[in-house]
């Protein structure tokens, strides 16, 4: 089968279950943007938190991902994945609902805010680990790229319009009350997922302990030539781009002398690139091949960041240059994410989706704080401009992982990687299962299905947006 033609788009157009899931994802993504703005604002404006305390708040959201390997192994042994998705949504809705209630009673505390951050992060991990099995029941392999493109399009749109919407709500309602919008988005997501018919197969019995399953997931990722290359690639690009994450606003403000409004305009224009990249990814993939498209994205994502060090001129020129750099980088991250996420979904065995996602996200997320710390140290030691150059050029090295792997030869989602050794193929070939049988009829006829510009493994719900796949959060 080839990737040309309109078959994937026809399958998704007729797939009512995927459309329902997509609507839920879109609602949830816009809710996320509001909470991402409101939580730190509650800490700063209501509780007068210090910068260190705000940093702890951010760290607590990401902390549960370090346990992703264990959660993924546990999820793989559960039959009812849809129920786990609904529970994850409802738990996060309840936890977030406690904030406006506490605020109205004048009893909100920093400890409560920390617990909210930790529990919403834990809910996001549970959702992300269960989501993979749900997604592959909704979408046939030939439509993975197209489906990921649509989900990424919603996410990119939320980053374009979400901050402005969130800012307006916070201004009108106060930050704690604005969180209610995200509560409603979680409830809406749970309701829509609950309405999707799904036939879930009981997982095969295993004699392995949870620790054994965790080890199996890690070994699967490290031994499979495609998964290993994708993990090395995304971890490398995330390390270097996170170096700039903590510095870019500081650089734009202090070195370029831009106001907060000007920086917001530049970043808002740049976020439009995410919409373009998500929309273009399937078309480019069908034209030049999945592997080549992903490699172009890997270079386009970090490379423009090096150019920020050379921005100069009048104010309008500095704003325009920063917006153009962000726009090209946003296109790149979507070309990379949409295609690598689809490829990872395709090569993962059905009975190992949770633990593969857990192992992948533990490494991919674990590298990010390190990149931010190194960026801060370099910025202090050698200056902001040299650090941005190092981060931009260093990030492009991530493409070497794909060049040295079978990914560079893969043109379509159902084309096997062929330049592996027989031993490697024995280790990495998925066992026979539903995903390896001939494609079913369009999903609408039968049963079903949440990682700053982010890709597949991103913020509190963000991490679940595309599932823990490629991941290249900015």
């Amino acid at each position: 089968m080839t990737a040309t033609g309109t078959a994937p788009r026809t399958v998704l157009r007729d797939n009512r279950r995927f459309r329902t899931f997509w609507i839920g994802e879109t609602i949830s993504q816009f809710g996320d943007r509001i909470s991402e703005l409101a939580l730190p604002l509650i800490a700063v404006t209501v509780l007068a938190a210090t910068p260190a305390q705000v940093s702890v708040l951010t760290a607590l959201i990401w902390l549960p991902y370090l346990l992703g390997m264990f959660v993924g192994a546990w999820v793989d042994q559960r039959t009812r994945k849809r129920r786990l998705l609904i529970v994850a949504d409802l738990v996060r809705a309840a936890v977030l609902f406690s904030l406006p209630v506490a605020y109205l009673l004048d009893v909100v505390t920093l400890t409560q805010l920390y617990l909210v951050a930790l529990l919403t992060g834990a809910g996001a991990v549970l959702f992300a680990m269960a989501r993979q099995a749900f997604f592959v029941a909704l979408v046939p392999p030939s439509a993975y790229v197209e489906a990921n493109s649509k989900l990424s399009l919603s996410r990119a749109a939320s980053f374009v319009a979400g901050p402005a919407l969130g800012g307006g709500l916070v201004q009108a309602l106060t930050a704690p009350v604005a969180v209610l919008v995200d509560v409603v988005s979680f409830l809406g997501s749970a309701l829509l997922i609950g309405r999707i018919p799904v036939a879930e197969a009981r997982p095969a019995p295993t004699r392995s302990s949870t620790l054994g399953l965790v080890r199996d997931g890690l070994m699967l990722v490290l031994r499979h030539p495609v998964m290993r290359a994708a993990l090395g690639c995304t971890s490398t690009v995330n390390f270097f781009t996170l170096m700039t994450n903590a510095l870019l606003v500081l650089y734009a403000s202090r070195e370029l002398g831009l106001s907060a409004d000007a920086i917001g305009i530049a970043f808002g224009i740049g976020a439009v690139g995410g919409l373009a990249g998500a929309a273009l990814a399937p078309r480019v993939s069908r034209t030049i091949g999945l592997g080549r498209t992903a490699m172009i994205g890997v270079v386009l994502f970090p490379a423009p960041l090096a150019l920020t060090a050379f921005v100069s001129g009048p104010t309008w020129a500095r704003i325009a240059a920063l917006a153009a750099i962000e726009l090209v980088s946003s296109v790149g991250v979507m070309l990379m994410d949409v295609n690598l996420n689809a490829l990872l979904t395709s090569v993962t065995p059905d009975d190992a989706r949770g633990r593969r996602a857990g192992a992948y996200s533990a490494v991919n997320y674990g590298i990010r704080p390190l990149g931010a710390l190194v960026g801060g140290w370099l910025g202090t030691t050698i200056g902001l401009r040299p650090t941005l150059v190092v981060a931009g050029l260093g990030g492009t090295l991530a493409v070497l992982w794909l060049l040295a792997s079978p990914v560079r030869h893969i043109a379509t989602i159902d084309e096997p990687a062929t330049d592996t050794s027989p031993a490697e193929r024995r280790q990495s070939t998925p066992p026979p299962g539903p995903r390896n049988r001939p494609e079913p009829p369009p999903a609408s006829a039968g049963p079903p299905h949440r990682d700053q510009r982010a890709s597949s493994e991103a913020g509190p719900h963000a991490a679940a947006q595309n599932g823990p796949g490629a991941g290249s959060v900015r």
Side-chain angles (χ1 to χ4, degrees):
M1 176 179 174
T2 66
T4 60
T6 59
R9 277 179 273 184
T10 302
V11 168
L12 293 183
R13 188 172 60 242
D14 297 336
N15 188 336
R16 182 176 301 174
R17 292 176 305 142
F18 174 76
R19 288 202 310 271
T20 302
F21 178 68
W22 185 21
I23 292 170
E25 289 271 323
T26 303
I27 295 171
S28 192
Q29 287 299 320
F30 276 86
D32 284 349
R33 304 294 81 77
I34 295 168
S35 283
E36 287 167 6
L37 179 64
L39 288 183
L41 281 177
I42 294 172
V44 173
T45 61
V46 178
L47 302 173
T50 65
Q53 289 170 327
V54 174
S55 298
V56 171
L57 180 67
T58 302
L60 287 172
I61 293 174
W62 293 92
L63 187 63
Y65 287 94
L66 296 178
L67 301 177
M69 289 188 289
F70 297 91
V71 177
W74 180 81
V75 166
D76 275 342
Q77 299 308 301
R78 310 276 77 77
T79 299
R80 301 187 183 279
K81 306 295 194 302
R82 184 180 65 167
R83 180 180 295 176
L84 296 179
L85 296 176
I86 295 171
V87 167
D89 274 341
L90 294 179
V91 166
R92 286 180 287 179
V95 168
L96 285 171
F97 184 67
S98 72
L99 283 175
V101 171
Y103 174 73
L104 293 175
L105 296 175
D106 198 25
V107 293
V108 65
T109 64
L110 193 61
T111 299
Q112 180 190 3
L113 203 58
Y114 284 164
L115 286 173
V116 168
L118 186 66
L119 292 175
T120 53
V125 173
L126 176 60
F127 193 104
M129 300 305 110
R131 179 191 178 281
Q132 283 285 303
F134 201 55
F135 177 85
V136 299
L138 278 175
V139 181
S142 64
Y144 284 170
V145 173
E146 193 74 31
N148 274 293
S149 170
K150 293 183 182 300
L151 295 172
S152 294
L153 196 64
S154 294
R155 180 167 177 76
S158 76
F159 275 101
V160 174
L165 175 63
L169 288 171
V170 168
Q171 189 73 28
L173 305 174
T174 72
V177 179
V179 169
L180 282 172
V181 177
D182 201 14
V183 172
V184 173
S185 79
F186 275 124
L187 294 175
S189 174
L191 178 64
L192 289 169
I193 290 173
R195 297 181 62 180
I196 300 174
V198 57
E200 299 180 280
R202 183 180 297 276
T206 177
R207 296 181 179 179
S208 297
S209 63
T210 299
L211 282 176
L213 292 174
V214 168
R215 184 180 61 250
D216 290 346
L218 189 58
M219 289 300 100
L220 172 66
V221 172
L222 295 179
R223 289 176 176 174
H224 194 290
V226 170
M227 296 185 201
R228 182 175 63 240
L231 178 60
C233 171
T234 54
S235 298
T236 300
V237 79
N238 282 331
F239 174 81
F240 283 103
T241 55
L242 260 291
M243 288 172 58
T244 70
N245 195 47
L247 302 178
L248 202 52
V249 173
L250 182 65
Y251 170 75
S253 176
R254 292 186 181 176
E255 298 282 339
L256 300 183
L258 298 178
S259 66
D261 287 344
I263 295 171
I265 290 171
F267 286 175
I269 295 172
V272 175
L275 286 170
L280 287 172
R283 185 176 304 174
V284 176
S285 177
R286 288 192 295 269
T287 302
I288 66 173
L290 185 150
R292 290 177 181 175
T293 302
M295 289 191 292
I296 290 172
V298 170
V299 175
L300 281 182
F301 176 26
L305 300 176
L307 298 178
T308 56
F310 305 100
V311 172
S312 62
T315 301
W316 68 265
R318 281 173 273 151
I319 295 173
L322 188 60
I325 287 167
E326 287 290 306
L327 189 145
V328 174
S329 183
S330 296
V331 171
V333 73
M334 287 300 175
L335 292 179
M336 177 182 79
D337 274 352
V338 168
N339 287 281
L340 285 186
N341 280 329
L343 184 58
L344 285 169
T345 302
S346 176
V347 300
T348 301
D350 284 333
D351 61 353
R353 295 191 181 278
R355 54 186 181 271
R356 193 283 297 168
Y360 196 105
S361 62
V363 177
N364 195 28
Y365 281 108
I367 201 70
R368 297 174 186 191
L370 181 60
L373 292 173
V374 171
W377 174 73
L378 283 178
T380 303
T381 305
I382 65 176
L384 296 177
R385 291 179 186 267
T387 300
L388 292 172
V389 173
V390 170
L393 297 181
T396 63
L397 298 176
V399 75
L400 298 177
W401 286 94
L402 302 185
L403 283 171
S405 77
V407 173
R408 71 184 190 276
H409 298 307
I410 297 175
T412 66
I413 200 64
D414 47 2
E415 177 179 315
T418 55
D419 69 348
T420 58
S421 66
E424 248 183 336
R425 284 196 295 271
R426 284 194 300 273
Q427 290 173 336
S428 61
T429 300
R435 199 198 64 72
N436 301 309
R437 296 176 189 148
E439 285 181 18
S444 58
H449 204 339
R450 168 199 157 311
D451 28 101
Q452 156 198 31
R453 183 174 58 245
S455 64
S456 42
E457 305 204 359
H461 310 196
Q465 177 265 335
N466 274 340
S472 44
V473 180
R474 286 288 300 284

